[in-house]
Amino acid sequence: MAHRKNDIRRTQIDGHTILECIDSESHNSFSLIPDYGGSLNSFVCKGEEVLLGARNEKEFQDFTVNSYAGAQLFPFPNRIKGGNYTFDGEEFSLPLNDHPYKNALHGLIYNRPFKVVDIGASHGRVKLEYRYRHDHGGYPFDLLLSNTYRLSGNTLSIHTVIENLGSDTAPVGHGWHPYFMAPEKADVYSLEMGQQGYYVIDHDLVPTGELVDTFGASDLKPIGATELNHCFVLENGNASKVKLINSVNGREVEISTKGYPYMQVYIPPHRNCIALEPCTCIPDAFNNRVGCRYLKPSEVWELQFDITIKA
């Protein structure tokens, strides 16, 4: 059986290499920014761009840098209140990068250089790795992070493996920050997800600890004028599906996850995209411990995140 042919192309934006994998038969494609946290920059399916990403220097600054479009979130997604947490009886402080809020935001590797360790062009596969070795004093642990991105038909999959290479147990969280394009505005989209509620946040956008179930299944069909910046608890936990449906043309984006029991949903003020962020834990997990994983020495943790375009 002949292998499907794929092309790998490299371009430059603002001094960063964009690595693009293109299926020469379907013309579906995805692109990454390896030296900027292994960021997921684009996914083109059936001739349409699915994700908000950078195509020039201005978009790189506006989207990738300032809005964390496609960012990989590790060792914690979302926020750590005040950048401070206590672990194993010791206090740690993380860099504050959540302006104007004084929190640590989206981890420590979203702009770090990943190494390309494998390109299987004929299989639509790219593998990246990053060795986090006490990069910051606020998180003094030693872990290996690897991502395998694979394009198969109308599905883009990301398989993540996190291994603790150190001698100490490490608190760990992981997530992704893709913005899905909503050219007709978010208002006409419907969001389907089995969810058990969402966490109330305070004025610093950090959970208060209160879990509220007020979004019924019909409340987001369509989204309408609803403002969203909520962390939802998914019903199926470690194996979940979330659907974003365009009521104008019927196009459906299905997000399937394994190991991500939470979904942060955010709609920016301009409402021309929707962030659907699979997360292993809720915001401020190093403090509230909800969903935080404590990875023992030599322990390996595997996660999966798929995007499938239908209709």
Side-chain angles (χ1 to χ4, degrees):
M1 181 180 295
H3 289 298
R4 180 182 294 271
K5 294 182 179 179
N6 293 275
D7 297 322
I8 298 293
R9 298 180 185 175
R10 291 175 173 84
T11 55
Q12 290 278 322
I13 295 179
D14 201 23
H16 298 277
T17 296
I18 308 297
L19 190 62
E20 184 180 18
C21 181
I22 306 167
D23 185 315
S24 58
E25 293 183 11
S26 70
H27 302 293
N28 293 343
S29 67
F30 71 92
S31 71
L32 315 169
I33 312 179
D35 66 358
Y36 202 85
S39 176
L40 179 58
N41 186 60
S42 71
F43 176 29
V44 175
C45 185
K46 299 181 180 181
E48 294 185 26
E49 177 58 75
V50 178
L51 303 174
L52 183 73
R55 290 163 294 182
N56 53 53
E57 291 187 11
K58 184 180 186 303
E59 290 183 346
F60 179 80
Q61 289 299 320
D62 290 347
F63 303 155
T64 310
V65 176
N66 296 331
S67 300
Y68 298 90
Q72 182 171 190
L73 316 178
F74 171 87
F76 60 90
N78 213 285
R79 293 165 170 84
I80 301 297
K81 188 175 180 67
N84 300 316
Y85 70 99
T86 300
F87 175 68
D88 202 20
E90 188 173 351
E91 295 183 358
F92 299 96
S93 294
L94 297 161
L96 304 182
N97 60 330
D98 184 22
H99 308 295
Y101 309 99
K102 295 182 179 179
N103 302 311
L105 179 66
H106 292 334
L108 299 169
I109 58 95
Y110 56 83
N111 59 358
R112 304 299 296 170
F114 275 59
K115 180 181 179 181
V116 179
V117 295
D118 181 49
I119 295 180
S122 62
H123 300 285
R125 183 185 70 243
V126 177
K127 184 177 181 180
L128 307 180
E129 281 187 356
Y130 182 75
R131 176 77 177 269
Y132 180 96
R133 200 193 310 252
H134 307 272
D135 290 14
H136 190 277
Y139 189 76
F141 302 99
D142 188 358
L143 301 108
L144 180 65
L145 179 64
S146 70
N147 304 121
T148 301
Y149 309 75
R150 187 188 301 270
L151 179 62
S152 178
N154 296 334
T155 298
L156 173 61
S157 302
I158 308 176
H159 182 247
T160 297
V161 180
I162 303 169
E163 181 179 1
N164 187 350
L165 300 181
S167 56
D168 299 314
T169 296
V172 181
H174 190 270
W176 290 93
H177 201 284
Y179 286 89
F180 292 85
M181 301 290 284
E184 293 88 3
K185 300 297 184 183
D187 307 53
V188 305
Y189 286 75
S190 293
L191 189 59
E192 295 185 0
M193 57 181 173
Q195 48 88 15
Q196 297 175 321
Y198 73 94
Y199 282 91
V200 176
I201 54 177
D202 63 18
H203 60 279
D204 291 319
L205 305 182
V206 173
T208 64
E210 182 182 4
L211 181 62
V212 178
D213 182 12
T214 57
F215 282 101
S218 62
D219 290 343
L220 297 174
K221 298 180 183 178
I223 291 171
T226 305
E227 295 183 4
L228 288 169
N229 193 0
H230 300 75
C231 181
F232 289 92
V233 183
L234 301 179
E235 281 183 351
N236 294 329
N238 284 343
S240 302
K241 288 187 178 181
V242 173
K243 295 181 180 180
L244 183 65
I245 303 169
N246 185 329
S247 63
V248 174
N249 59 24
R251 188 182 189 192
E252 180 179 313
V253 178
E254 182 180 272
I255 298 174
S256 302
T257 66
K258 294 180 182 178
Y260 297 97
Y262 305 95
M263 183 70 70
Q264 182 79 23
V265 183
Y266 170 60
I267 300 178
H270 49 67
R271 302 183 72 81
N272 64 4
C273 60
I274 302 170
L276 297 174
E277 311 164 35
C279 300
T280 62
C281 55
I282 74 170
D284 202 29
F286 283 4
N287 288 308
N288 58 44
R289 302 192 175 188
V290 179
C292 188
R293 180 73 175 256
Y294 297 93
L295 210 60
K296 298 178 181 178
S298 301
E299 188 176 0
V300 175
W301 189 17
E302 297 190 41
L303 305 162
Q304 183 83 14
F305 166 41
D306 299 341
I307 303 171
T308 301
I309 307 304
K310 299 183 177 181

